[in-house]
Amino acid sequence: MVLYLENYFGDVWPEIAANESPITHVTNGIHTCSWLAPNLKELYNKYLIPYWQDSIQVQDTWKKIENIPNEKLWEEHVKRKEKLLKIVRDNVTNSMRANGIGYEEINDMVSKLNPNALTIGFARRFATYKRATLIFRDLERITQILNDESRPVQLIFAGKAHPADKEGQDLIRYIYEIAKKPQFKGKIFIVENYNIGIARYLVSGVDVWLNTPRRPMEASGTSGQKASVNGVINFSVLDGWWAEGYNSKNGWTIGTNDEYSSYEIQDDADSNSIYYTLENKIIPIYFDKDENGISNKWVNIMKNSIISTGGKYSTSRMLCDYTENLYMPLINLSHKYYNDLSNVADFNEWKSKMIINWNKIQIEQLNNLDNISIDAGNKIEVTCKVILPDIDVKNINVETYAGRITDNGTIENITIIPMELVESNDEKREHIFKAKLELTTGGNYGYTFRVMPKHDMILDPENLNLIKWITA
Ligand SMILES: *Cc1c(COP(=O)(O)O)cnc(C)c1O
């Protein structure tokens, strides 16, 4: 979400760079204690600090997951898996029976549910951009993967399509048909009536949580967060929350960040990536078991997943972000100034005056540093003169806007440095500002100056759309 947000609102504030827009984001999080399986909660109670539920958003709370013995964590995971498989068995039995299928055929199907198989879950709304059938793009290859007798793999699907979404419904029908093919019989299970109750078992009972949205369409993908805190490992496109949450040790990714010229090419690349990672990473690690039947490598990834996402993708953290970054600054501002209507009237008057005068601001560069070379790591001082119309110097911020100029003329590593007022000639309304900038790397640097409005009653000066650049 962070990755694309900065470009969304570029048009709204034409005077500033897209990534400076005052629109910010808060990443979604899940209500940890509602989604954490009861037996895991008990286990975490033993190893995390007392009352850890009151400190969910604190990163240190989760580090102690490391101290859980691998066989303990695995044991509790297996319990959840067995519970899930029972639910799948009942659910599939009921729906087959409702379709008039005979007892023997039903038994033939559900008896194949295998607690020792690497179990991959996919459950969400069947909106087409989520690409539920991507894993079947190369039927030959997925047949091979699901039919290795020494390393069994099974898929569990659940989800609903919107009643008006025919394409979404077609995807579900397609999976039903695939699941009936002889080579997939007893390898692919579809759970009907996906709801929060079933979701609880799915997100805690499978081994891998598969998520295949078409980049960059996924807003968040909260089910992956539910899985992760339960030690279910995410295998997902780097989109939505996973673009933030993935750290190379806590799960796997699908595809790359490349842009594709067509959906076909994107789907080919992403499905190949699914097969490759399953064949070369996920399946080998899962079945690399010691004499106790535990893959320590696997359990370590489970632990990394819980530690790295348990606090960060919780509603506790989300509420802290909203409160600290958004609500409190606004409430403080409102209590301080907006309770008194005369303040608001004064502020409006001030704004009108700023708007009338703003364009008459003049900025002059005082030092000429063009075409000089400076070694990386050194600081340079830049100064400018601002000549103000009927605007108080208290009501402006002057900034140096600097960055490295790349070969193709764009600016990167942008820093915005507030400048210090060093001298004023009030009669002439001239003010000298100074800043030091540090060049951290070699290359071509450029800088410019700008003036922004300043007032205690504004949180985001960008919102007034009053920005004066030296060049303008
Ligand atoms: C969590 C959840 C969702 C949302 O999952 P996404 O990964 O965001 O698509 C949808 N339905 C149910 C029942 C859920 O529990």
Side-chain angles (χ1 to χ4, degrees), residues 123-273:
R124 46 186 57 82
R125 287 178 301 121
F126 273 68
T128 45
Y129 82 87
K130 297 202 184 234
R131 295 190 296 182
T133 60
L134 191 66
I135 197 170
F136 301 119
R137 193 163 174 85
D138 183 342
L139 282 179
E140 191 52 46
R141 206 149 161 205
I142 190 67
T143 300
Q144 298 290 331
I145 290 170
L146 296 185
N147 283 283
D148 180 344
E149 266 174 39
S150 63
R151 301 191 302 182
V153 179
Q154 62 196 0
L155 301 176
I156 299 177
F157 284 88
K160 283 178 184 160
H162 189 276
D165 180 6
K166 183 167 176 307
E167 281 177 67
Q169 291 161 11
D170 288 346
L171 291 178
I172 300 181
R173 191 169 308 118
Y174 178 80
I175 297 172
Y176 268 101
E177 274 155 25
I178 290 272
K180 277 192 260 170
K181 286 179 184 285
Q183 76 265 36
F184 294 128
K185 214 155 184 201
K187 300 277 177 195
I188 301 170
F189 298 90
I190 302 155
V191 180
E192 287 189 348
N193 266 326
Y194 181 50
N195 57 25
I196 287 182
I198 287 174
R200 270 193 228 291
Y201 289 98
L202 277 164
V203 297
S204 59
V206 296
D207 299 303
V208 169
W209 196 250
L210 178 68
N211 184 26
T212 52
R214 189 189 301 288
R215 282 186 71 250
M217 313 272 268
E218 186 56 85
S220 183
T222 50
S223 61
Q225 304 172 343
K226 302 169 192 168
S228 174
V229 76
N230 282 292
V232 169
I233 305 175
N234 276 274
F235 179 30
S236 171
V237 170
L238 276 177
D239 201 11
W241 85 284
W242 197 229
E244 280 177 55
Y246 172 69
N247 72 3
S248 85
K249 294 189 185 77
N250 60 358
W252 301 277
T253 62
I254 296 169
T256 62
N257 284 340
D258 291 346
E259 308 251 333
Y260 294 96
S261 54
S262 76
Y263 283 177
E264 286 290 307
I265 297 171
Q266 187 174 23
D267 290 354
D268 279 342
D270 289 351
S271 59
N272 275 324
S273 164

Side-chain angles (χ1 to χ4, degrees), residues 253-425:
T253 62
I254 296 169
T256 62
N257 284 340
D258 291 346
E259 308 251 333
Y260 294 96
S261 54
S262 76
Y263 283 177
E264 286 290 307
I265 297 171
Q266 187 174 23
D267 290 354
D268 279 342
D270 289 351
S271 59
N272 275 324
S273 164
I274 294 179
Y275 302 133
Y276 179 86
T277 304
L278 277 173
E279 290 161 349
N280 296 288
K281 294 180 184 165
I282 300 178
I283 296 172
I285 294 174
Y286 187 80
F287 289 104
D288 182 12
K289 295 185 175 179
D290 66 10
E291 62 273 16
N292 300 318
I294 292 169
S295 165
N296 286 296
K297 278 188 204 154
W298 189 272
V299 180
N300 285 333
I301 302 174
M302 287 171 70
K303 286 182 174 177
N304 287 336
S305 168
I306 301 165
I307 292 169
S308 61
T309 66
K312 226 169 148 191
Y313 298 97
S314 63
T315 33
S316 309
R317 191 273 314 144
M318 184 182 83
L319 281 174
C320 287
D321 280 1
Y322 274 112
T323 309
E324 286 166 19
N325 304 335
L326 301 165
Y327 300 154
M328 290 313 291
L330 202 58
I331 287 170
N332 287 338
L333 194 71
S334 153
H335 278 184
K336 218 162 145 192
Y337 302 107
Y338 286 82
N339 284 343
D340 180 348
L341 267 187
S342 69
N343 276 337
V344 180
D346 289 350
F347 178 54
N348 277 335
E349 205 172 299
W350 175 84
K351 262 201 296 197
S352 312
K353 206 174 121 196
M354 290 293 273
I355 290 164
I356 292 166
N357 282 290
W358 192 256
N359 259 329
K360 293 179 225 151
I361 296 175
Q362 292 172 54
I363 312 169
E364 287 170 18
Q365 176 174 341
L366 290 186
N367 51 330
N368 187 350
L369 299 170
D370 291 353
N371 297 319
I372 64 161
S373 37
I374 294 150
D375 289 333
N378 282 350
K379 282 191 174 170
I380 59 166
E381 195 174 275
V382 291
T383 45
C384 71
K385 176 160 82 181
V386 177
I387 307 162
L388 288 175
D390 191 10
I391 289 176
D392 197 307
V393 71
K394 287 201 309 274
N395 286 137
I396 60 164
N397 273 323
V398 183
E399 297 171 337
T400 304
Y401 186 94
R404 215 174 74 87
I405 302 169
T406 62
D407 290 341
N408 58 26
T410 57
I411 299 184
E412 60 174 29
N413 295 344
I414 292 166
T415 48
I416 295 166
I417 305 143
M419 298 182 79
E420 193 192 337
L421 176 63
V422 286
E423 207 184 308
S424 282
N425 179 332

